[in-house]
Amino acid sequence: MRLLSPAFFIPLAACAGRQSPLAPAGLQAEWQHWLLMLMFWVCGIVYALVMALLGVSIWRGRHRLAAAPETSPDDRRLSRGLGLWAGMIVAGLTILILGSFVVERELAGERRREALVVRVTGQQWWWRIQYRDPAGTGWIETANELHLPAGRTARIELGSVDVIHSFWVPNVAGKMDVIPGRANAIDVTPHRVGWFRGQCAEFCGAQHAHMAFDVKVDTPAEFAAWLAAQARPAPAPSGAAVVVTNGPCASCHTIRGTAARGRAGPDLTHVGGRRSVAAGTLPMSRGALQGWIAQPQALKPGTLMPAVALTGAQIDAVAAYLESRK
């Protein structure tokens, strides 16, 4: 019994928290949760009745055979029972169809509203995220951290540059596949401020499990301030840290306001303000940045970031500079 008790509660660990469809924090997630509960109760009641009737039939069959083996079943009562059961099945299916129709109608209504457009591109194994610059000068880019304003619909335009991924933020909305060569989109309307966790939900390679992203739902004022801060360029590094803008790092990464203009890897302009390093692999800190720069393959085997030949002093200086980029 002591061994079974913890095992009984393990499935319940996914029923709450910042990555759970059972703790909805967005309009789409709420409607999907409502439909899930409707299906649970309709199917649960039908299942309970089936098991109850099965138990009754087994008990009565044994009793009848023991008392009078020659007794034949009452065809009229059996026909009435089957008719009643068929009616219950039709009623249950009708409820589920109507529920699905109501949910689809509500979600379609959200799609017709004016929305904040955010581009999200899946790559092995991280997420490129782009917002339209409020000044109208192009797109503001970040990585692995999605900020959304509460109470406003955001249209997430999804794309992939390599293999099939799947965008999923359980608390806010459902899943949507991210397919190379195809433009998909998903609408999300978060209403609860806070941090949530997203994950690639389609196996996409060796580091699929380490392809996560954080989602921050802000108040509208906080979101506007955050976006304005993200639009600002970075100051040029000095000392040993200059290698990040004029060395091999610059061929893969962009730091706006400097000579670093690479596109293969994530934009590092404000990397120090993110919560994690390498798409949720490590919490953000100077030590994590140092380890990632020095030995990316040891921390995330198969990642496309190569080990760069830098001295200890250069790694220290680069990590300090990146951590300061809030």
Side-chain angles (χ1 to χ4, degrees):
M1 186 65 181
R2 289 181 180 179
L3 294 175
L4 291 176
S5 297
F8 177 79
F9 290 103
I10 286 175
L12 300 180
C15 296
R18 66 189 192 101
Q19 191 181 3
S20 171
L22 301 183
L27 181 64
Q28 290 78 7
E30 283 187 342
W31 277 111
Q32 291 166 356
H33 180 264
W34 178 84
L35 184 59
L36 172 65
M37 290 296 100
L38 178 66
M39 296 178 68
F40 172 80
W41 284 109
V42 170
C43 295
I45 290 171
V46 170
Y47 177 77
L49 287 173
V50 168
M51 298 307 294
L53 292 174
L54 178 62
V56 170
S57 65
I58 292 174
W59 180 82
R60 292 185 62 181
R62 287 181 176 178
H63 179 74
R64 184 171 297 172
L65 288 173
E70 72 283 356
T71 304
S72 61
D74 188 337
D75 292 340
R76 186 177 300 175
R77 290 172 58 189
L78 179 61
S79 297
R80 285 199 300 265
L82 291 174
L84 178 62
W85 187 246
M88 290 180 62
I89 292 175
V90 171
L93 290 174
T94 302
I95 292 172
L96 294 180
I97 291 171
L98 290 175
S100 299
F101 173 78
V102 168
V103 171
E104 181 58 33
R105 184 182 177 86
E106 290 296 326
L107 296 182
E110 286 299 307
R111 297 187 195 112
R112 291 192 290 269
R113 296 186 181 182
E114 183 181 356
L116 168 73
V117 176
V118 184
R119 291 178 177 173
V120 175
T121 304
Q123 299 187 218
Q124 290 179 307
W125 289 275
W126 59 283
W127 301 90
R128 189 187 302 273
I129 301 173
Q130 297 170 297
Y131 301 84
R132 192 176 295 280
D133 191 335
T137 57
W139 293 83
I140 299 168
E141 187 170 308
T142 181
N144 304 321
E145 192 167 295
L146 177 63
H147 282 246
L148 299 172
R152 182 180 177 186
T153 298
R155 181 154 297 119
I156 313 296
E157 296 181 345
L158 299 166
S160 171
V161 299
D162 39 51
V163 300
I164 297 176
H165 303 281
S166 185
F167 178 90
W168 189 32
V169 189
N171 298 80
V172 180
K175 299 177 185 177
M176 180 62 69
D177 281 346
V178 185
I179 303 172
R182 177 171 178 174
N184 279 348
I186 183 171
D187 288 346
V188 299
T189 311
H191 58 68
R192 177 151 54 92
V193 171
W195 284 98
F196 305 98
R197 187 177 187 274
Q199 177 68 45
C200 176
E202 179 81 23
F203 181 74
C204 56
Q207 292 297 323
H208 161 69
H210 289 153
M211 190 176 171
F213 58 99
D214 289 302
V215 179
K216 177 63 163 65
V217 179
D218 300 307
T219 64
E222 289 172 341
F223 175 78
W226 174 84
L227 191 58
Q230 292 293 307
R232 291 196 290 267
S238 59
V242 297
V243 69
V244 77
T245 57
N246 62 13
C249 304
S251 63
C252 290
H253 298 282
T254 291
I255 301 178
R256 296 190 304 275
T258 74
R261 298 293 179 186
R263 296 292 298 161
D267 187 299
L268 301 179
T269 307
H270 296 286
V271 64
R274 299 170 196 162
R275 286 165 61 95
S276 69
V277 176
T281 304
L282 299 169
M284 175 60 69
S285 68
R286 185 179 300 186
L289 288 169
Q290 290 170 335
W292 179 246
I293 295 167
Q295 294 183 326
Q297 296 298 324
L299 296 174
K300 197 169 184 177
T303 182
L304 298 183
M305 177 170 169
V308 181
L310 300 179
T311 67
Q314 287 174 321
I315 291 174
D316 262 355
V318 170
Y321 171 74
L322 295 179
E323 186 191 30
S324 72
R325 303 307 318 127
K326 304 296 186 182

